[in-house]
């Protein structure tokens, strides 16, 4: 009000308290509170952010476990490797044939991952609107790790090993479409690595 003459925000989100494994409130006097800077130095800022957000159910306290931060780091590594895989696959596709998705060349696998991405975006919009941030991270984890990496990428490898240049180019276009959207969806949770990957992928 002082500087803008209007209400600065209309919604306030109250987070739960972060507690240790025994359920005690973290405090310096008890010595049960890890230094966030040490965790960032060990795992990375994105890993700490994603790990804590993923283990923070709506309206409940969080029982802190360093394994959650380690999971966040492993997730960042998986995201990095997925983008590296895209770069390796692009080496086998001539630059002049890379481009937009050709709907006529979409395989069943392509249609499935595009559908799953669309459903994930809808779920994320609902989760954000209802302040269910742990649900948002769970959706992102599922669509990226289980559906994109474990299923779609594995199914796509056969196309890149074949001789059909047009199929390879279309497969790469689908990968680019999905990955570019996933990086944007992850950005609120993993701002540093997604920014790096976004520029690295061109």
């Amino acid at each position: 009000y002082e500087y803008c003459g209007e209400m600065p925000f209309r919604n306030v989100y109250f987070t739960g308290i972060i507690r240790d494994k025994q359920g005690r409130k973290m405090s310096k006097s008890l010595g049960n509170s890890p230094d966030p800077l040490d965790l960032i130095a060990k795992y990375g800022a994105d890993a700490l952010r994603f790990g804590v957000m993923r283990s923070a159910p709506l309206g409940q306290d969080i029982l802190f476990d360093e394994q959650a931060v380690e999971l966040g780091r492993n997730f960042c590594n998986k995201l990095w490797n997925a983008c590296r895989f895209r770069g390796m696959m692009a080496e086998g596709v001539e630059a002049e044939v890379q481009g937009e998705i050709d709907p006529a060349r979409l395989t069943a696998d392509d249609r499935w991952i595009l559908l799953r991405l669309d459903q994930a975006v809808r779920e994320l919009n609902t989760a954000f609107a209802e302040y269910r941030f742990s649900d948002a991270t769970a959706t992102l984890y599922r669509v990226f790790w289980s559906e994109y990496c474990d299923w779609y990428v594995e199914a796509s490898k056969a196309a890149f090993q074949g001789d059909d240049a047009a199929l390879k180019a279309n497969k790469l276009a689908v990968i680019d479409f999905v990955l570019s959207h996933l990086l944007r969806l992850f950005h609120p949770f993993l701002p540093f690595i997604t920014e790096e990957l976004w520029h690295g992928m061109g």
Side-chain angles (χ1 to χ4, degrees), residues 3-171:
Y3 296 105
C4 298
E6 59 185 29
M7 189 184 302
F9 44 81
R10 297 181 179 278
N11 301 301
V12 179
Y13 182 80
F14 290 93
T15 64
I17 296 171
I18 299 181
R19 300 180 180 274
D20 66 14
K21 289 181 184 179
Q22 299 172 29
R24 301 175 301 176
K25 186 176 178 181
M26 288 191 169
S27 71
K28 289 183 180 177
S29 59
L30 285 175
N32 64 347
S33 177
D35 187 334
L37 294 178
D38 290 341
L39 291 171
I40 289 170
K42 186 175 180 181
Y43 298 106
D46 283 344
L48 177 59
R49 181 196 311 258
F50 190 76
V52 171
M53 290 293 287
R54 192 164 182 265
S55 60
L58 180 65
Q60 298 178 28
D61 291 350
I62 303 162
L63 295 181
F64 180 78
D65 188 341
E66 195 169 321
Q67 285 185 330
V69 186
E70 190 174 347
L71 182 145
R73 181 198 60 197
N74 294 344
F75 194 86
C76 289
N77 287 342
K78 188 83 167 177
L79 188 60
W80 188 272
N81 288 334
C83 292
R84 278 187 59 228
F85 171 80
R86 182 265 172 220
M88 291 179 347
M89 293 305 100
E91 291 172 7
V93 179
E94 295 179 13
E96 56 268 18
V97 298
Q98 294 181 27
E100 296 295 317
I101 295 172
D102 179 358
R105 293 187 181 276
L106 289 175
T107 65
D109 298 341
D110 298 332
R111 288 190 177 89
W112 180 82
I113 195 61
L114 292 170
L115 174 65
R116 298 305 297 159
L117 176 65
D118 181 67
Q119 289 174 341
V121 170
R122 294 172 193 273
E123 289 175 30
L124 281 166
N125 286 337
T126 301
F128 278 128
E130 297 174 0
Y131 301 100
R132 292 184 287 107
F133 302 117
S134 62
D135 288 0
T137 57
T139 295
L140 285 169
Y141 190 93
R142 183 201 74 230
V143 72
F144 172 71
W145 196 297
S146 301
E147 297 169 357
Y148 177 74
C149 290
D150 288 353
W151 202 88
Y152 182 71
V153 167
E154 292 304 315
S156 297
K157 287 179 180 177
F160 287 107
Q161 292 167 356
D163 297 324
D164 188 336
L167 179 63
K168 287 182 188 178
N170 208 52
K171 191 70 70 174

